[in-house]
Amino acid sequence: MKRYICGAVLAAALTPTAGIAADCGEVSITEMNWASAAVVTSVSKFLMEQGYGCDVTVVPSDTTPAVTSLAENGEPDIVTEMWVNSAGEAYNKLKENGKIIELGHVLDPGGVEGWWLPTYLVEEHPELKTIEGVMANPELVGGMFNACPDGWGCRITSDNRIRALKLDEKGFEIFYHGSGETLATSMAAAYQDKKPWFGYYWAPTVPLGKFDMTMVDLGPFDEEAYKNNQNKDTPNPGLSSFAPAPILTVVTKDFNKTHPEIAELMSKVTFKTDTMSGLLAWKDENNASNEETAVHFLTENKDVWAEWLSDDAKAKLSKILK
């Protein structure tokens, strides 16, 4: 029922009778082709239109096309969820040449990777909190490590950690999933039956929003080992925790200058990674659209987004989202 109420609120807000003047003019913003970015864009679009009177155009994109468009055309104005680690040298040149401004981290602490266990398993066997405890008790975690599919970057980095630990020699079967769907399904099936599950996963994602999982402590971050583990053929893989991937909101230099109020807003639009996983789980469970998910977030988290807004925008939105 809440889904339909949220949809009705959104529909009412977007009608011409909402009385929002086009104060800030035209704004273009990316909608990257993954779920969390689409939610960020929907929330940002809603706030810009209803709070600041912007005429917002959503531009479907991905990391490489967005960077190319910024370099060649100086647009779109705003790029949400720029995964800097994947953006390449072209992005670094844009930054060095002052063509873009990094406003802030749209996900906090960023993209999270790790090796996980169901929390119910860790609560029953606290020794499993660390990789040493897991390796000493392979039977408690089902004797299997659920690994990344071929072609994924995590396949290389996790494989190198497996090599460093000699996991396959310590009583573990390494099961390589054929797709992300089967990896997610294996976690869901184990969780439903309260069985062991041990494997790689990342956030923000639907499964980590649906299921209470505990990240296994792989020890301290080791920069040298972390870098070595990026190389498929490294002769000396090492053990290191995963570092969160920085995920930023980026605007063009011109937009930052011509729309300082919107740039300030977007510098504050930040979601905890766990919060975003929860939103994605809600979206999945309710078969909701990106817009409905945005309104769900806005209606349930007023204390969060209110801090992002100017006083005038806050007053306008308080009339819509009561």
Side-chain angles (χ1 to χ4, degrees):
M1 179 61 71
K2 182 177 287 187
R3 175 192 170 195
Y4 296 105
I5 293 172
C6 287
V9 170
L10 178 68
L14 296 180
T15 58
T17 57
I20 303 297
D23 302 316
C24 87
E26 297 182 355
V27 177
S28 56
I29 183 172
T30 58
E31 182 177 270
M32 302 303 218
N33 64 353
W34 53 88
S36 59
V39 172
V40 171
T41 294
S42 291
V43 169
S44 301
K45 179 176 185 289
F46 189 97
L47 295 177
M48 285 189 283
E49 289 182 337
Q50 304 307 317
Y52 295 82
C54 302
D55 181 7
V56 180
T57 299
V58 172
V59 181
S61 193
D62 201 344
T63 302
T64 299
V67 171
T68 301
S69 182
L70 286 170
E72 295 180 354
N73 307 313
E75 54 186 34
D77 301 315
I78 304 169
V79 178
T80 57
E81 285 213 26
M82 177 63 75
W83 289 64
V84 178
N85 290 356
S86 304
E89 188 58 33
Y91 176 83
N92 293 332
K93 288 182 179 178
L94 284 172
K95 184 179 175 181
E96 290 170 5
N97 294 335
K99 292 185 176 182
I100 58 172
I101 306 294
E102 295 177 343
L103 294 182
H105 292 258
V106 68
L107 292 179
D108 177 23
V112 175
E113 298 178 272
W115 290 3
W116 304 81
L117 291 168
T119 298
Y120 56 75
L121 196 62
V122 178
E123 289 175 346
E124 185 177 354
H125 304 284
E127 64 270 28
L128 299 179
K129 290 180 181 179
T130 66
I131 189 60
E132 292 81 9
V134 171
M135 291 179 65
N137 299 278
E139 73 285 351
L140 294 181
V141 299
M144 178 185 290
F145 180 82
N146 291 273
C148 295
D150 282 330
W152 289 24
C154 60
R155 174 66 181 269
I156 296 171
T157 58
S158 266
D159 272 4
N160 280 328
R161 286 170 173 81
I162 290 168
R163 286 171 57 202
L165 291 166
K166 297 186 166 99
L167 206 62
D168 52 352
E169 299 176 16
K170 303 286 178 64
F172 291 87
E173 175 189 353
I174 312 302
F175 186 85
Y176 292 103
H177 285 271
S179 68
E181 288 75 16
T182 64
L183 179 61
T185 299
S186 70
M187 182 192 293
Y191 206 94
Q192 182 176 353
D193 295 334
K194 290 294 184 286
K195 291 183 177 180
W197 188 91
F198 174 43
Y200 170 91
Y201 222 77
W202 75 101
T205 49
V206 170
L208 289 186
K210 282 186 176 182
F211 310 125
D212 186 1
M213 304 291 287
T214 295
M215 185 187 294
V216 176
D217 184 355
L218 297 179
F221 178 75
D222 183 319
E223 185 171 359
E224 183 178 358
Y226 187 82
K227 288 181 178 178
N228 286 340
N229 288 344
Q230 310 299 312
N231 180 3
K232 179 181 179 181
D233 300 315
T234 183
N236 53 339
L239 186 61
S240 171
S241 60
F242 290 86
I247 305 174
L248 309 180
T249 296
V250 174
V251 298
T252 65
K253 179 182 178 181
D254 289 345
F255 184 81
N256 190 60
K257 184 182 297 183
T258 59
H259 291 73
E261 192 174 32
I262 303 303
E264 182 179 2
L265 163 68
M266 295 306 300
S267 73
K268 297 176 181 178
V269 175
T270 302
F271 298 79
K272 292 291 184 183
T273 303
D274 287 348
T275 298
M276 180 56 72
S277 287
L279 283 173
L280 298 182
W282 183 91
K283 181 177 185 292
D284 181 73
E285 290 167 356
N286 290 275
N287 195 28
S289 66
N290 296 322
E291 291 78 10
E292 289 167 333
T293 306
V295 175
H296 169 72
F297 168 78
L298 292 167
T299 54
E300 298 295 325
N301 297 275
K302 294 180 182 179
D303 58 328
V304 175
W305 57 261
E307 299 298 319
W308 302 345
L309 306 175
S310 66
D311 290 340
D312 184 51
K314 194 182 302 183
K316 290 177 181 177
L317 282 161
S318 67
K319 297 175 183 178
I320 299 171
L321 297 169
K322 297 180 180 179

